[in-house]
Amino acid sequence: MTKRIYLSPPHMSGREKEFVNEAFDSNWIAPLGPMVDAFEREMADYIGIKHSTALASGTAALHLALILAGVSQGDEIICSSFTFSASANAIVYQGARPVFIDSDEKTWNIDPDLLSEFLEDASKRGKLPKAVIAVDLYGQCADYDRIVPLCEEYGIPLIEDAAEALGASYKKKMAGTFGKMGVLSFNGNKIITTSGGGMLLSDDKELIEKARFLATQARDPAPHYEHSEIGYNYRMSNILAAVGRGQLTVIEERVSAKRKIFDKYFNELKDLSGISFMPEAPYGRSNRWLTCIVVEPSAFGATREDIRLALEEENIESRPLWKPMHLQPVFKDCRMIGGSVSEELFEKGLCLPSGTNMSAEEQTRVIEIIRKRYNEGRKVRSEM
Ligand SMILES: Cc1ncc(COP(=O)(O)O)c(C=O)c1O
């Protein structure tokens, strides 16, 4: 069997060992430490934000962001439906209720028109949501020139879930900087990884200091263990921060590599009728975390599931686009605004292998299998 090709596997840049050795040599292997401080500073500098705190996961960062936004039992929180469940799970951790909003077909991110209509109506009803979570899906920023003023107009804190979008930008400003708080993930499948980790970003020093306090079991300053608030064990370890520092040195190379992967798929598949690609909005630069296609079965001669199975037969991993949250059994009772755009994307969309360590030959194999499936579909049609 040929080596399996994965969707977006983690891989080292080569510089991690240097930092990890430094951490071992200094005997800082506990949570916190100088590597964590340096990783936070270097990431904040790269992104162009004032403050950051490294955490155990992107989910932990989202949870703390909601706590810091004052979210509690019974509050309504706006969230893009077309996302990974982590964006919405954190809302439920706080006992709050997600209100899902459909995607804009031009960006696949939260539809600003639907958001505007919802907020106008909510304001009239006197029941504004407590926060808005905008997700930068598959590495593309949401339309912040529309979203930020809306949140400001109604006085609602914006949380930017940039878990998939490190290195992307919107009008030259980096992903993660648009909300009151921004969230990053360094999970194994992300553009850079600490094997597991996340970060909370903000220009507000007090918010990040409070996040750090909550993430270390909310320990009050005292020689003994004193607690006047409920805390969490959400901090990143010094060793993992060392891995993160090594990875961060190659972030720009990774974005270029991801974009190159997208370009090759695009150039070698664009002539097939029935295939389209995730659009890149003119306002920014996507990090093209995963190359995503949409397959129109009537024109292509096969469904996205046919393609997925054809790839799987050749030991190649691909995956349907995110199943929208409003279609998930666990969120079936939540309110949904619109829905047809994300439903269609889920039905017809597929993420192709996009690992930055995938060779050009491996990518050619993926392309050939998709082309073969297309030709088989055409043959069947011409025989009918
Ligand atoms: C959009 C989105 N939000 C949040 C997360 C959660 O990040 P983590 O896995 O680091 O908890 C992820 C990915 O895992 C994600 O894709």
Side-chain angles (χ1 to χ4, degrees):
M1 195 62 146
T2 47
K3 192 173 117 220
R4 184 160 174 78
I5 302 176
Y6 290 98
L7 207 57
S8 183
H11 69 108
M12 293 293 115
S13 72
R15 287 207 55 197
E16 292 79 4
K17 260 194 186 154
E18 226 178 277
F19 292 108
V20 172
N21 284 344
E22 211 183 294
F24 270 85
D25 292 345
S26 64
N27 218 14
W28 271 104
I29 42 176
L32 311 182
M35 284 291 159
V36 173
D37 299 343
F39 185 40
E40 289 173 346
R41 206 175 45 246
E42 285 160 6
M43 183 62 79
D45 287 348
Y46 171 67
I47 300 242
I49 198 131
K50 291 195 184 124
H51 306 282
S52 65
T53 185
L55 298 164
S57 65
T59 309
L62 277 162
H63 187 197
L64 291 178
L66 290 167
I67 294 172
L68 293 165
V71 172
S72 63
Q73 190 77 29
D75 288 337
E76 282 189 340
I77 309 298
I78 302 273
C79 184
S80 185
S81 182
F82 195 42
T83 184
F84 178 53
S85 65
S87 314
N89 284 344
I91 299 170
V92 181
Y93 299 166
Q94 279 309 98
R97 278 199 312 272
V99 173
F100 295 116
I101 293 197
D102 201 8
S103 299
D104 177 348
E105 60 187 10
K106 295 190 293 298
T107 66
W108 298 9
N109 286 315
I110 193 166
D111 184 331
D113 291 329
L114 292 180
L115 176 65
S116 172
E117 281 164 31
F118 179 83
L119 291 177
E120 195 183 329
D121 179 58
S123 165
K124 279 187 198 139
R125 284 186 283 116
K127 195 172 181 337
L128 282 168
K130 200 65 186 276
V132 170
I133 300 177
V135 183
D136 300 333
L137 210 71
Y138 298 121
Q140 166 152 276
C141 287
D143 191 355
Y144 291 111
D145 273 1
R146 299 278 320 277
I147 297 166
V148 171
L150 277 171
C151 289
E152 280 170 359
E153 182 185 341
Y154 293 97
I156 304 168
L158 171 65
I159 297 166
E160 182 187 0
D161 181 350
E164 301 173 1
L166 179 63
S169 57
Y170 178 96
K171 298 191 175 168
K172 306 251 183 302
K173 205 167 168 264
M174 299 301 267
T177 59
F178 292 92
K180 195 174 171 61
M181 286 166 274
V183 167
L184 298 175
S185 166
F186 312 120
N187 187 29
N189 61 357
K190 296 298 184 290
I191 192 159
I192 67 163
T193 183
T194 55
S195 81
M199 206 173 266
L200 186 67
L201 313 164
S202 181
D203 277 327
D204 185 333
K205 189 171 177 213
E206 260 178 49
L207 281 179
I208 294 299
E209 277 174 358
K210 183 78 195 264
R212 215 171 261 139
F213 164 77
L214 292 172
T216 24
Q217 302 289 19
R219 196 178 158 198
D220 293 333
H224 58 277
Y225 285 94
E226 178 82 8
H227 304 274
S228 38
E229 274 185 71
I230 295 295
Y232 304 85
N233 183 3
Y234 276 175
R235 286 292 265 155
M236 179 182 280
S237 87
N238 203 48
I239 299 292
L240 295 189
V243 175
R245 288 185 74 193
Q247 293 263 299
L248 187 56
T249 61
V250 294
I251 179 65
E252 282 299 315
E253 286 161 41
R254 292 270 168 103
V255 175
S256 303
K258 291 273 192 192
R259 291 185 62 86
K260 214 168 134 207
I261 289 166
F262 174 89
D263 289 345
K264 182 172 162 77
Y265 278 129
F266 181 77
N267 289 326
E268 297 183 24
L269 291 171
K270 66 173 190 287
D271 60 310
L272 308 186
S273 50
I275 269 200
S276 58
F277 288 77
M278 180 176 184
E280 183 168 39
Y283 53 57
R285 183 181 79 145
S286 167
N287 72 7
R288 292 290 190 196
W289 172 50
L290 296 177
T291 292
C292 304
I293 57 170
V294 175
V295 180
E296 196 55 60
S298 56
F300 188 85
T303 63
R304 72 110 158 94
E305 196 52 15
D306 295 328
I307 298 177
R308 193 186 72 76
L309 292 172
L311 291 169
E312 193 52 57
E313 234 169 68
E314 298 295 324
N315 206 19
I316 297 169
E317 182 183 40
S318 63
R319 193 155 300 167
L321 298 185
W322 296 124
K323 180 174 180 178
M325 290 305 108
H326 69 282
L327 300 182
Q328 300 288 354
V330 71
F331 294 121
K332 69 180 187 326
D333 297 327
C334 296
R335 190 152 174 216
M336 175 66 195
I337 313 297
S340 57
V341 175
S342 55
E343 283 164 23
E344 189 172 345
L345 288 171
F346 172 59
E347 189 195 322
K348 299 179 180 167
L350 191 68
C351 304
L352 299 179
S354 310
T356 41
N357 59 350
M358 179 172 61
S359 67
E361 293 72 35
E362 285 175 321
Q363 197 182 351
T364 300
R365 261 181 68 210
V366 178
I367 291 165
E368 279 169 357
I369 292 162
I370 298 173
R371 294 194 73 92
K372 187 164 161 251
R373 195 64 196 79
Y374 176 79
N375 290 330
E376 283 164 6
R378 284 177 84 84
K379 198 161 156 257
V380 170
R381 267 179 301 166
S382 67
E383 284 165 3
M384 279 196 315

